[in-house]
Amino acid sequence: MNSLHPHPEIPGNDVVDLRACRDTFRPRFVERVFAPEEQEQLRLAVDATVLGWLFWAAKEAAYKVLSRLDRGLPFRWKLFVARIAEPEIPLPAWLKGQLIHPAGSLNLEMELTAEYVHVRAGQKEVPPGRVALLPPGKDESVAVREMALEIFAGRYGMSGRIEKRDGLPVIYSGDLCVPVSLSHHGRFIAVAFF
Ligand SMILES: CC(C)(COP(=O)(O)OP(=O)(O)OC[C@H]1O[C@@H](n2cnc3c(N)ncnc32)[C@H](O)[C@@H]1OP(=O)(O)O)[C@@H](O)C(=O)NCCC(=O)NCCS
């Protein structure tokens, strides 16, 4: 029987390959996906597309945290509201923000480059994470798991294996059971865990 990871928090992360995305948002998409205050920020933004993908990744990363706490949580885009203090920082940038949802507020840390956006989310602390290029020809789910286990070995000094528990990925190693957040999109893979 595996004991729980001593760190009590749940990690979330999401990477978006900006070259794999359309470079403008259609008005109906904006209306369907973004909350009114996000729409207002998008209207004022110098680069609304990058800000929009940042909001999108924040929603997905937050869903990965909150849906572990409530497996029945419905995914309603507009209920996940991203707040980013200074969205006009030039690229590349590291940004902080919050994600507000009726089920709870989360802290966000975001990396913004010309190639991708990556968002990590946590309830109090934000989990450390990493983005890497998907090795050519390699299956994305295999590659992201290998990267997670490599980071785990470096951090904890132990090998582990990734399995799904209640349908969601965790790293098992000895008595440890560590929830891990996996993400893959286009040319990139990304992980985050405590
Ligand atoms: C779960 C979800 C957020 C994954 O995001 P995504 O951008 O599609 O894919 P990512 O590559 O970032 O993440 C995929 C990984 O997340 C993990 N994952 C899947 N569901 C998860 C969940 N509920 N919580 C945490 N992690 C989850 C999986 O391990 C998966 O990796 P794998 O396929 O290699 O096993 C996505 O499936 C989603 O958006 N679900 C809600 C869909 C929905 O209801 N849409 C309605 C639109 S109105």
Side-chain angles (χ1 to χ4, degrees):
M1 185 70 171
N2 292 80
S3 65
L4 275 179
H5 184 31
H7 199 294
E9 290 211 52
I10 301 295
N13 94 126
D14 196 70
V15 67
V16 172
D17 181 346
L18 294 174
R19 293 208 190 157
C21 293
R22 71 177 90 104
D23 48 15
T24 52
F25 291 116
R26 293 191 192 96
R28 278 182 62 189
F29 179 83
V30 171
E31 166 58 30
R32 189 162 60 90
V33 167
F34 298 110
E37 70 172 75
E38 293 171 327
Q39 292 184 32
E40 183 59 21
Q41 279 207 57
L42 291 171
R43 262 193 295 278
L44 301 172
V46 173
D47 189 338
T49 303
V50 168
L51 184 61
W53 289 120
L54 210 46
F55 285 161
W56 172 286
K59 290 168 191 274
E60 297 261 9
Y63 177 74
K64 289 175 182 172
V65 176
L66 295 175
S67 71
R68 259 194 223 254
L69 298 167
D70 172 4
R71 293 295 283 123
L73 188 80
F75 192 95
R76 297 208 186 96
W77 293 107
K78 289 172 96 161
L79 291 184
F80 290 77
V81 183
R83 288 194 184 147
I84 300 168
E86 296 178 78
E88 303 305 348
I89 293 173
L91 299 173
W94 292 89
L95 307 173
K96 292 192 178 198
Q98 277 82 43
L99 189 294
I100 314 299
H101 185 275
S105 295
L106 303 176
N107 289 313
L108 305 174
E109 289 182 12
M110 292 156 274
E111 185 188 8
L112 184 53
T113 78
E115 303 297 324
Y116 64 81
V117 300
H118 180 226
V119 177
R120 291 169 288 115
Q123 291 166 285
K124 288 198 183 107
E125 291 176 43
V126 176
R130 186 190 295 171
V131 179
L133 280 167
L134 174 66
K138 190 147 196 172
D139 179 87
E140 56 196 13
S141 288
V142 171
V144 78
R145 282 163 170 76
E146 285 178 1
M147 179 164 77
L149 291 177
E150 184 192 315
I151 298 169
F152 180 84
R155 199 181 292 167
Y156 288 93
M158 303 187 280
S159 61
R161 66 185 195 285
I162 297 184
E163 291 178 14
K164 287 200 170 166
R165 185 161 118 165
D166 299 330
L168 301 175
V170 295
I171 301 173
Y172 287 115
S173 178
D175 285 340
L176 282 183
C177 172
V178 178
V180 59
S181 176
L182 308 174
S183 183
H184 30 70
H185 184 235
R187 295 164 295 157
F188 297 103
I189 54 175
V191 304
F193 61 93
F194 289 101

